[in-house]
Amino acid sequence: MTDHALYILSISTAAALLAYIILWSGLQTFNANPTKRFMRIWFKLALYYAAYTMPVWALLLVIGWLQEVLPILAQLSLTPVLVAIFAMGLYFYTVVVQPNRLRLDHHAIDLDLSTPLTVAVLADLRIGLYSGKPRHIRKLVATLNALPADAVLITGDWLYYPSADLVGQLMLFKGVNKPIYTVMSTSDLRYQSINTTKQGQPLLEDTLSSAFDVLDISYIGQQCTSLPLKCTGATNALSVTSDATSYPKNNQEGFRQQSLEDSPTVAVLCGWQDVPKQFADIEDANASDKAALGAEIANATKPVIILASRFDSISDLPKSLQPRPLLITGAAKVIQKNIWLAQKQKNIERSSEQSTLLNNSRMGKQQGLYQHGSAQIFVSSGIGTRGLPFRLYRPTIDVLTIR
């Protein structure tokens, strides 16, 4: 092959890769339905899909350097070529490989239960731009089904620019063979609120709460139920229109209890739901719901497990609860900052529990068990990806054995 032919082939391949990155990321940006920041989402997706092309770029670099296809490549020494290849490989690994390396991390927590209870905790799913591809959810569901767990708890942060067909994107969760309980984060509720109309057209075909109905996922925002009862949830949809805003109320009718005699209650599971500030018209109702829920937690005769999307929810709990409940929350970036501040002010302290994941605190992660005056707090690790598309740590399902 002549040098000219190699040059033409290399340039054509590079142009084809760039065209793929730009056009495909643009198409997926439209699929994500961004109501604003269109160019930012396009840029993020371009970075994401560029990672899949890194092996080809590395090959083009090696061939171009060895054959001196371009003068600028001929001037490079071996060291910068190796550094560039390493950087491409690292980027490919953190974007393409690492999100698929799902791991389990086991923890033991004492809550004075009459019978040990095992729950799988998922946090920060972030289904949308990067996470929640069918291959990701299939592996997640298969892993959950193989666990000897009594229930699956999801701390919210379900979405990150999802597609319009939300039910279709989440349908694989219907294959989970365990009861699933969840709350919504404030970002989830904001996604709910964009299911309005823009020039007469719906922005999303489905809401997250309607998807929970279809998938038999129990939404327990501002509600309490018993574990390990098997139940299916029917939630009230949150919809925001130009006329009114509705919010899921504290309604036990959404739970259908099955086989009570076969599944004795060993703990009470409560969902602590925060509301975005823009829903000012339901702020008072949410405050009264929280007060009622706080009283229910304080008067519970069984140990209480509280599922929340925010670490800050600890400040809303009734003081001096006996016995202290267990608060399970996620590890979003803002939560990590608040945990760090709470540790600095000595409001909380990390438990002596040892876990391979806790050793990742040097990476800025704050997962693990903490002790607080009002409750024990478990911060889960997280599954999905947001912001830039790469992950520096493996997605993790936290398996809690609560005794």
Side-chain angles (χ1 to χ4, degrees), residues 128-149:
L129 287 191
Y130 316 128
S131 307
K133 309 299 182 186
R135 65 181 183 276
H136 297 151
I137 300 181
R138 287 192 190 97
K139 186 171 185 178
L140 181 62
V141 169
T143 304
L144 291 173
N145 288 345
L147 287 174

Side-chain angles (χ1 to χ4, degrees), residues 42-219:
W42 192 346
F43 175 72
K44 289 181 177 181
L45 283 172
L47 291 178
Y48 176 70
Y49 289 109
Y52 288 84
T53 67
M54 286 298 110
V56 182
W57 286 112
L59 180 61
L60 289 177
L61 175 62
V62 172
I63 293 175
W65 180 67
L66 292 176
Q67 299 297 324
E68 300 182 356
V69 172
L70 294 175
I72 189 174
L73 294 178
Q75 297 174 5
L76 295 178
S77 63
L78 178 61
T79 300
V81 172
L82 293 178
V83 170
I85 293 174
F86 175 78
M88 292 177 188
L90 181 62
Y91 189 61
F92 177 83
Y93 180 83
T94 56
V95 175
V96 179
V97 179
Q98 188 79 311
N100 291 294
R101 300 182 64 235
L102 186 65
R103 61 167 289 183
L104 299 174
D105 200 39
H106 295 266
H107 307 260
I109 300 176
D110 291 324
L111 198 63
D112 295 328
L113 299 186
S114 58
T115 303
L117 184 69
T118 301
V119 296
V121 180
L122 307 181
D124 303 323
L125 292 174
R126 305 293 183 183
I127 292 172
L129 287 191
Y130 316 128
S131 307
K133 309 299 182 186
R135 65 181 183 276
H136 297 151
I137 300 181
R138 287 192 190 97
K139 186 171 185 178
L140 181 62
V141 169
T143 304
L144 291 173
N145 288 345
L147 287 174
D150 299 291
V152 177
L153 308 182
I154 301 179
T155 67
D157 286 315
W158 278 83
L159 307 177
Y160 186 61
Y161 293 98
S163 66
D165 183 15
L166 191 58
V167 169
Q169 196 168 13
L170 299 177
M171 184 56 71
L172 290 172
F173 278 99
K174 199 172 180 65
V176 177
N177 61 6
K178 300 168 178 61
I180 302 177
Y181 304 88
T182 188
V183 293
M184 294 190 208
S185 66
T186 54
S187 63
D188 292 331
L189 293 174
R190 291 190 188 102
Y191 278 112
Q192 291 274 96
S193 71
I194 71 172
N195 191 37
T196 58
T197 58
K198 183 179 182 181
Q199 298 176 348
Q201 299 297 322
L203 301 180
L204 287 177
E205 295 177 3
D206 309 297
T207 64
L208 186 56
S209 55
S210 66
F212 292 159
D213 287 341
V214 175
L215 303 175
D216 293 334
I217 294 175
S218 299
Y219 171 75

Side-chain angles (χ1 to χ4, degrees), residues 253-266:
E253 293 178 359
F255 293 93
R256 185 166 64 252
Q257 299 180 356
Q258 301 174 349
S259 303
L260 298 181
E261 297 80 10
D262 298 332
S263 302
T265 300
V266 298

